[in-house]
Amino acid sequence: MSETNMNNTVVDHEYGADEIQILEGLEAVRKRPGMYIGTTASRGLHHLVYEIVDNSVDEALAGFCDTIEVIINEGNSVTVIDNGRGIPVGINHKAGIPGVEVVFTILHAGGKFGGGGYKVSGGLHGVGASVVNALSNWLEVEIYQDGKIYKQRYERGRVCYPLKEIGTCDVDKTGTKVTFLPDDTIFTETTVFEFDVLKRRLREMAFLTKGLHIILKDERKETEDIKADNENEQINELLTRAEADIKSDASVNKKPKFIEFYYEGGIKEFVSYLNKSKTPLYENILYFEGERNNVYVEVAFQHNDSYNESVFSFVNNINTPEGGTHLMGFRNAITKTFNDYARNAKLLKDSEPNLSGEDIREGLTAIISVKIEDPQFEGQTKQKLGNSEARSAVDSIVTEQLTIFLEMNPAIAKTICEKSILAQRAREAARKARDLTRRKTALDGLSLPGKLADCSDKDPKNCEIYIVEGDSAGGSAKTARARATQAILPLRGKILNVEKARLDKIYANAEIKAMITAFGTGIHEDFDITKLRYDKIILMTDADVDGAHISTLLLTFIYRFMPDLIKEGHVYLAKPPLYKIEKNKKVWYAYSYEELDKILQDIGRDQNNKIQRYKGLGEMDADQLWETTMDPERRILLRVNLDEEMESELDLTFTTLMGDKVEPRRDFIVENAKYVKNLDINSL
Ligand code: TSJ
């Protein structure tokens, strides 16, 4: 092991022991890749790219680079190019090898060897380029510096030859180019990069780094992309229902091959992007920026006329879905500052109580981004920022600048305060309504909704609940079900769109109340998963556009009120068949057009084949419904997943699909052909 390395290394040794350690370091990465990149599935594969790009983003944050280009090459290698200073090629004193070799061969070397500037962007779990190198079949780096081009190649982490000069370039041209091919013996599930996945994260990075150009190109032939797409075929199916009408538009099928992100306004533009399908309450996007105690703070926000809070926080360009000190600092600052303002401006009377944080955050879209030298993560999942200096930095910067802004923009200040006061009143009304239901619950034990046909088994682990659209399908489902373990809750018509209703109205909605009581968990801060009455919550709707819409409404409700049900994998979509085929008294069901095609191929395409296209659950009798959609032995269920790393995109998915602006909604569907893909629905 060490021999190969010795033969290939530039410098003469004294450093043999170090090199053995180097190899052991990278070998450890190859042995336990999960420890370094979390997963070797598709997500881990894509993280390799982010890990490399993070280095270029650091160079941009240090002020030496303004363009990063990412290219997916034919054969699924990836190239990242920046126009920064180029990784240092001089011999690193400590290691006795060129800086670039240190970066790629020594575990956790990233950042430590760079002088000056921030080492801020975090990378997944803070691992470096060496991890990408260790997990690549091969990796090549080229550096443009002082009119020279340097190159080195590695295979499975090992140096192939000493860093060498391979030519000259314009002295003005500087930068780094890295190309790597992920190791298919490690990424056994897939080595196919998905354009859309990279696109989403790169867009986020561009939003978080104002003034940086990030370009993504796909140079593969059509086939690779289609291969990746087919892995999500079951999703396509769901989509074809909702999108059948749009699909005729040829542009849908044309994949983008090139995209450039550049946001001069950074997170300000992030906020307007998130609000694009909503109606803002005022034109400005408030933006505050500053540095305190070595914490660089940026905050942008704008209220819209909805009732939901869409606040996303980032530390060193990494999303922190669980928040932490930076988020607490922000919340504290806006609560205090708006209350002070509202009192002073007599918008809030002396007799009235303070606005709560929740009131002020109603309809708020915000991005909080901090950059900090040594982020400490806490909590069970180590995703919550713990540094107390981040709290005080965000709090004081937002308080100071927001106070001034409100003084100078009284009309906006008044709009926000009035919206918050309305929210306060609605919250009070909702609390009263909720207390009423709570008291009732306490008295009756569990007063389950009347429409619910509950199952008899009392162990939630064995139980499932079907949420069924419409009374007639509900009736069939009640007849068809396995009474011991399957409960049926029929819902009447379209359910309330929680994106467009305030809490009091939501609590007053019968369908929503029925679901909340049936599930048993409570919602929001009262949510308690141990009280869940069913292991599986199965949404069963028609296989048409309306059905897809109802599913989305239901998912939106669950996402906003009890997201943990989705995160813990309790939420499913039933998949009714699309076709029934009859021949000689025998019956087949097909769940997709492809399946229909296959069945017809198998049984022969005779004239007397009877093919029925199911339009709704109502067209099936109880037996058919059981056979095709409810029998655990035969049915197909799709599990709904939240990809937490793309929180903001997910929020956008729901708000866009459920929002009231028609144009953005259509654009969204056309652009992202697969909205459910964001939900990452996995077939079981
Ligand atoms: F890490 C990496 F190898 F994966 C990688 C690093 C990949 C890519 C595409 C780019 C980079 C990278 C590194 N771009 N720019 C830099 N800059 C430095 O490493 C650098 C240059 C000069 C100095 C200095 O103090 O003079 C310091 C650093 C960290």
Side-chain angles (χ1 to χ4, degrees):
M1 199 199 283
S2 56
E3 265 175 40
T4 339
N5 185 54
M6 301 255 218
N7 290 339
N8 285 333
T9 324
V10 213
V11 184
D12 232 321
H13 311 92
E14 276 166 58
Y15 290 100
D18 285 359
E19 281 157 21
I20 291 165
Q21 267 191 339
I22 291 172
L23 277 183
E24 280 173 350
L26 294 196
E27 211 43 52
V29 177
R30 293 179 56 81
K31 272 210 190 93
R32 293 186 214 291
M35 296 257 294
Y36 298 86
I37 54 162
T39 150
T40 55
S42 176
R43 177 182 290 195
L45 179 81
H46 290 83
H47 271 299
L48 299 181
V49 180
Y50 312 147
E51 189 52 50
I52 297 294
V53 171
D54 273 350
N55 290 280
S56 298
V57 172
D58 282 343
E59 187 71 0
L61 289 168
F64 298 103
C65 149
D66 68 7
T67 304
I68 302 172
E69 199 174 324
V70 178
I71 305 156
I72 313 172
N73 305 302
E74 186 75 65
N76 280 292
S77 64
V78 164
T79 300
V80 180
I81 307 168
D82 73 34
N83 62 349
R85 290 167 294 179
I87 308 176
V89 295
I91 301 291
N92 176 274
H93 298 304
K94 266 196 206 150
I97 51 177
V100 52
E101 192 173 325
V102 171
V103 167
F104 283 105
T105 60
I106 301 183
L107 204 51
H108 292 300
K112 274 190 213 150
F113 294 81
Y118 268 108
K119 165 68 196 173
V120 285
S121 79
L124 181 80
H125 311 139
V127 301
S130 60
V131 168
V132 178
N133 190 21
L135 301 178
S136 293
N137 214 313
W138 54 264
L139 181 149
E140 289 181 349
V141 56
E142 281 180 34
I143 293 152
Y144 310 87
Q145 230 167 50
D146 302 321
K148 297 192 183 95
I149 307 173
Y150 299 87
K151 181 167 181 176
Q152 189 164 39
R153 179 181 165 99
Y154 316 83
E155 288 176 6
R156 299 204 157 98
R158 296 183 191 198
V159 170
C160 291
Y161 50 77
L163 183 70
K164 64 182 178 191
E165 262 184 62
I166 57 161
T168 56
C169 63
D170 198 294
V171 279
D172 294 337
K173 180 179 159 102
T174 62
T176 306
K177 172 175 165 182
V178 170
T179 304
F180 65 96
L181 180 73
D183 189 333
D184 60 357
T185 64
I186 287 172
F187 298 94
T188 48
E189 215 166 282
T190 176
T191 51
V192 179
F193 286 103
E194 286 183 60
F195 188 87
D196 287 348
V197 171
L198 293 177
K199 182 180 91 175
R200 283 201 292 268
R201 173 63 183 147
L202 293 176
R203 180 199 281 130
E204 189 176 77
M205 281 182 164
F207 275 134
L208 292 163
T209 319
K210 60 181 167 198
L212 176 63
H213 297 258
I214 301 183
I215 295 159
L216 174 63
K217 285 183 191 160
D218 194 342
E219 312 233 292
R220 293 171 298 185
K221 299 210 177 74
E222 212 69 51
T223 48
E224 304 276 6
D225 248 9
I226 290 165
K227 232 191 287 171
D229 266 7
N230 284 346
E231 281 157 28
N232 289 303
E233 222 208 299
Q234 66 277 22
I235 296 159
N236 293 349
E237 182 51 43
L238 206 115
L239 255 263
T240 31
R241 307 179 201 171
E243 291 184 322
D245 44 352
I246 300 169
K247 267 231 162 117
S248 54
D249 180 343
S251 68
V252 176
N253 299 318
K254 229 170 76 196
K255 282 246 168 196
K257 292 288 173 198
F258 174 99
I259 193 158
E260 174 169 354
F261 300 114
Y262 169 72
Y263 303 109
E264 208 177 311
I267 60 168
K268 241 173 120 160
E269 290 186 51
F270 200 164
V271 168
S272 68
Y273 172 77
L274 291 170
N275 266 349
K276 76 179 173 189
S277 61
K278 305 182 189 179
T279 310
L281 284 191
Y282 42 89
E283 234 170 77
N284 309 46
I285 292 169
L286 285 69
Y287 175 78
F288 310 124
E289 177 191 22
E291 182 169 350
R292 205 144 301 178
N293 298 326
N294 254 349
V295 184
Y296 172 64
V297 178
E298 273 185 288
V299 161
F301 66 85
Q302 184 185 46
H303 285 79
N304 57 66
D305 71 351
S306 85
Y307 308 110
N308 295 310
E309 179 184 341
S310 302
V311 177
F312 303 101
S313 60
F314 296 83
V315 176
N316 297 350
N317 285 356
I318 298 173
N319 189 205
T320 40
E322 291 180 37
T325 47
H326 53 331
L327 184 62
M328 282 151 61
F330 172 74
R331 288 182 166 182
N332 190 51
I334 60 168
T335 307
K336 187 178 52 187
T337 308
F338 278 108
N339 269 298
D340 286 353
Y341 183 88
R343 295 269 176 221
N344 277 333
K346 304 271 179 252
L347 294 166
L348 204 57
K349 293 193 199 83
D350 290 342
S351 61
E352 288 173 315
N354 262 1
L355 299 165
S356 74
E358 236 181 288
D359 299 333
I360 293 156
R361 296 194 303 272
E362 188 190 86
L364 178 67
T365 298
I367 300 288
I368 296 111
S369 171
V370 300
K371 305 230 165 82
I372 185 169
E373 199 92 33
D374 183 23
Q376 302 294 318
F377 291 97
E378 300 180 335
Q380 282 199 326
T381 50
K382 296 261 175 259
Q383 292 194 62
K384 216 168 158 174
L385 185 67
N387 305 51
S388 62
E389 71 271 25
R391 185 204 331 244
S392 50
V394 178
D395 193 336
S396 61
I397 286 165
V398 173
T399 302
E400 280 168 22
Q401 299 185 29
L402 178 59
T403 303
I404 296 167
F405 180 91
L406 297 181
E407 291 302 333
M408 291 173 64
N409 297 276
I412 294 175
K414 189 167 176 229
T415 304
I416 299 172
C417 289
E418 281 173 350
K419 159 112 168 160
S420 303
I421 290 164
L422 284 179
Q424 184 187 45
R425 290 185 192 141
R427 186 169 52 87
E428 188 53 25
R431 190 185 59 74
K432 280 183 185 146
R434 193 164 53 161
D435 282 356
L436 265 178
T437 33
R438 271 210 193 122
R439 216 168 303 135
K440 210 160 106 196
T441 312
L443 286 177
D444 303 358
L446 267 176
S447 58
L448 290 168
K451 300 185 294 183
L452 175 73
D454 209 6
C455 50
S456 56
D457 195 319
K458 289 297 167 228
D459 184 356
K461 269 199 227 53
N462 304 329
C463 299
E464 44 193 50
I465 181 168
Y466 276 82
I467 312 291
V468 189
E469 155 196 7
D471 278 338
S472 73
S476 299
K478 280 182 189 180
T479 313
R481 73 192 175 124
R483 284 171 177 274
T485 56
Q486 295 182 322
I488 309 293
L489 182 64
L491 298 179
R492 215 162 278 127
K494 297 231 162 178
I495 80 149
L496 183 73
N497 181 355
V498 299
E499 293 289 331
K500 289 204 264 178
R502 220 174 221 144
L503 267 185
D504 50 343
K505 204 170 139 199
I506 292 170
Y507 281 122
N509 182 272
E511 323 297 313
I512 298 234
K513 258 200 295 208
M515 282 188 279
I516 294 172
T517 34
F519 297 170
T521 54
I523 59 167
H524 290 328
E525 63 273 25
D526 295 333
F527 182 86
D528 179 358
I529 197 140
T530 64
K531 299 216 176 101
L532 182 60
R533 300 181 61 254
Y534 310 94
D535 182 66
K536 293 189 176 68
I537 293 168
I538 303 169
L539 313 181
M540 185 160 74
T541 56
D542 285 344
D544 62 7
V545 179
D546 284 342
H549 183 62
I550 291 167
S551 290
T552 313
L553 285 165
L554 290 167
L555 283 173
T556 307
F557 158 66
I558 297 172
Y559 168 70
R560 292 289 182 203
F561 285 72
M562 23 191 138
D564 285 353
L565 285 184
I566 302 180
K567 286 181 195 162
E568 307 274 323
H570 292 288
V571 181
Y572 300 80
L573 301 178
K575 190 168 158 150
L578 290 178
Y579 304 96
K580 180 185 181 185
I581 307 105
E582 276 181 286
K583 183 181 181 173
N584 304 333
K585 302 230 163 86
K586 270 204 216 142
V587 177
W588 291 262
Y589 296 100
Y591 294 81
S592 65
Y593 182 77
E594 287 72 22
E595 206 180 333
L596 171 70
D597 202 49
K598 190 178 170 303
I599 291 168
L600 290 179
Q601 209 163 325
D602 290 349
I603 65 173
R605 286 169 208 274
D606 300 339
Q607 281 298 312
N608 69 356
N609 289 345
K610 205 175 131 212
I611 300 170
Q612 184 187 348
R613 169 82 162 95
Y614 283 122
K615 293 215 185 59
L617 297 165
E619 290 177 26
M620 280 185 266
D621 63 29
D623 287 340
Q624 288 171 331
L625 195 60
W626 168 254
E627 275 175 49
T628 60
T629 318
M630 293 179 70
D631 179 0
E633 303 288 321
R634 284 177 283 185
R635 71 185 175 195
I636 296 176
L637 289 186
L638 306 173
R639 178 189 256 145
V640 181
N641 262 319
L642 287 190
D643 182 354
E644 275 188 72
E645 276 171 65
M646 283 315 290
E647 266 203 292
S648 64
E649 283 289 330
L650 188 75
D651 192 274
L652 193 67
T653 303
F654 282 115
T655 52
T656 309
L657 288 165
M658 295 293 99
D660 38 20
K661 288 194 188 166
V662 174
E663 263 322 299
R665 175 161 54 224
R666 190 180 175 282
D667 289 349
F668 185 86
I669 295 172
V670 171
E671 185 195 332
N672 292 273
K674 297 161 193 60
Y675 75 84
V676 240
K677 202 154 155 183
N678 270 350
L679 298 178
D680 193 6
I681 294 172
N682 296 325
S683 182
L684 287 183

